[in-house]
Amino acid sequence: MVAEFFNMGGYGVYIWPGYAVVLAVLIVLGIQSRKWLLRLEKAVEDLNPEISEPPQTSEGTRP
Amino acid sequence: MAVAFLIGLYLALVGSPADFKQGQSVRLMYVHVPSAWMALLTYTLIAVASAVSIIWRHPLADLAAKSAAPLGLAFTGLALMTGSLWGKPMWGAWWVWDARLTSVLVLFFLYLGYMAIWQAVEDQNKASKAAAILALVGFINIPIIKFSVEWWSSLHQPASVLRLDGPSIDGSMLVPLLVMTLAFKAYFITILLWRMKAELVARKLQVLRLKKAQGA
């Protein structure tokens, strides 16, 4: 039954690579886009460290 | 987005019937058609954003268009690839130079050209104008793609969903198709927003680096 499902009536050799490439492209593009955004946000934080650090008390210790 | 994809994939691969003529190969429709629809929709978005950029000079317009282009390129490539995989068992050929396939290939090259302009032209204001002009001129290809199967004799089947007299596709196939289309749309919106934010942060970074260099 599992073999029949993967065979897809003889069309499995067309269907499964099709779905695999679609999912791979969408996942890779998504990961690349997200990583790009995070990399840029980190670069801005590194350039502006006073924005990313939490506020301190007048004695210089954290609340 | 993930839920829509999971439900859509289940319906596409398990929860929908085979076609009486095409057999199980019809399951490629559930990735081919949403890819093709998104390819056309994305280019339309780029053309509209380009018009807004040229006419009203809205700063987010060219940013939206630039961010959408890689997504449109991906969708067009996937439409061509899945169409080829579907065409081989049905038509006996990986590719034919008919109106629908050729015009979608032209769309693929339009996306490449649009992205190449942004990469090649250093002055981003000039790049924005040149890319916008290409996008607007290339928009003529969208109705050509849509009506190609009616205007010329084509192997590609005519529309069975977006028709004046309503969809001709059975509900058992229409529902999975619409769920997958929704999943593709949700994906597009998510990734577009990430990419637009990245473009904005990149511009902010450029300004900060300039300020730092001037301060030093």
Side-chain angles (χ1 to χ4, degrees):
Chain A
M1 194 156 155
V2 172
E4 267 178 47
F5 175 71
F6 282 106
N7 189 42
M8 287 276 180
Y11 296 113
V13 68
Y14 302 104
I15 294 170
W16 296 114
Y19 275 79
V21 172
V22 167
L23 290 174
V25 166
L26 295 183
I27 288 169
V28 166
L29 185 56
I31 290 173
Q32 182 267 331
S33 301
R34 186 73 186 157
K35 277 188 163 177
W36 179 38
L37 172 60
L38 292 173
R39 201 168 51 242
L40 286 168
E41 284 179 336
K42 173 102 183 16
V44 168
E45 270 181 40
D46 291 344
L47 220 48
N48 271 334
E50 63 270 17
I51 294 169
S52 56
E53 276 184 10
Q56 297 191 1
T57 61
S58 56
E59 290 84 16
T61 57
R62 293 174 197 274
Chain B
M1 169 176 70
V3 171
F5 264 113
L6 285 171
I7 295 172
L9 286 169
Y10 173 79
L11 289 173
L13 293 167
V14 179
S16 62
D19 184 69
F20 85 102
K21 266 190 181 171
Q22 300 183 60
Q24 302 283 1
S25 73
V26 77
R27 298 192 190 281
L28 279 165
M29 173 180 71
Y30 304 115
V31 286
H32 171 70
V33 172
S35 298
W37 281 347
M38 290 312 300
L40 298 184
L41 186 69
T42 304
Y43 196 90
T44 304
L45 176 91
I46 289 173
V48 168
S50 297
V52 170
S53 172
I54 286 177
I55 297 167
W56 290 289
R57 300 184 201 281
H58 194 289
L60 281 180
D62 64 344
L63 190 136
K66 187 184 178 189
S67 303
L71 286 158
L73 180 72
F75 289 134
T76 311
L78 290 175
L80 287 168
M81 186 269 304
T82 51
S84 187
L85 285 168
W86 198 2
K88 178 60 180 170
M90 290 300 111
W91 302 337
W94 295 108
W95 180 265
V96 289
W97 289 102
D98 87 340
R100 172 58 65 87
L101 275 70
T102 307
S103 52
V104 174
L105 185 65
V106 168
L107 181 66
F108 185 79
F109 288 125
L110 279 168
Y111 275 117
L112 278 175
Y114 181 86
M115 290 167 65
I117 289 174
W118 277 107
Q119 288 291 317
V121 179
E122 212 172 303
D123 183 333
Q124 292 291 276
N125 287 326
K126 284 186 181 161
S128 166
K129 279 204 183 78
I133 290 167
L134 174 67
L136 288 168
V137 169
F139 185 72
I140 188 68
N141 194 37
I142 300 302
I144 290 175
I145 292 172
K146 168 66 184 161
F147 296 110
S148 56
V149 293
E150 292 167 41
W151 292 346
W152 296 284
S153 66
S154 171
L155 275 176
H156 196 286
Q157 71 176 67
S160 44
V161 178
L162 297 170
R163 292 154 54 104
L164 284 172
D165 54 353
S168 61
I169 189 173
D170 188 73
S172 60
M173 292 182 173
L174 183 61
V175 169
L177 180 59
L178 293 178
V179 173
M180 283 298 280
T181 302
L182 192 69
F184 271 65
K185 280 194 163 69
Y187 172 87
F188 170 73
I189 290 167
T190 304
I191 307 306
L192 179 66
L193 289 174
W194 284 350
R195 295 189 77 91
M196 283 179 69
K197 192 174 178 191
E199 288 285 348
L200 281 168
V201 175
R203 289 180 188 186
K204 183 179 175 182
L205 185 64
Q206 196 178 24
V207 168
L208 285 172
R209 281 177 175 158
L210 272 168
K211 278 185 181 171
K212 193 165 184 177
Q214 282 165 1

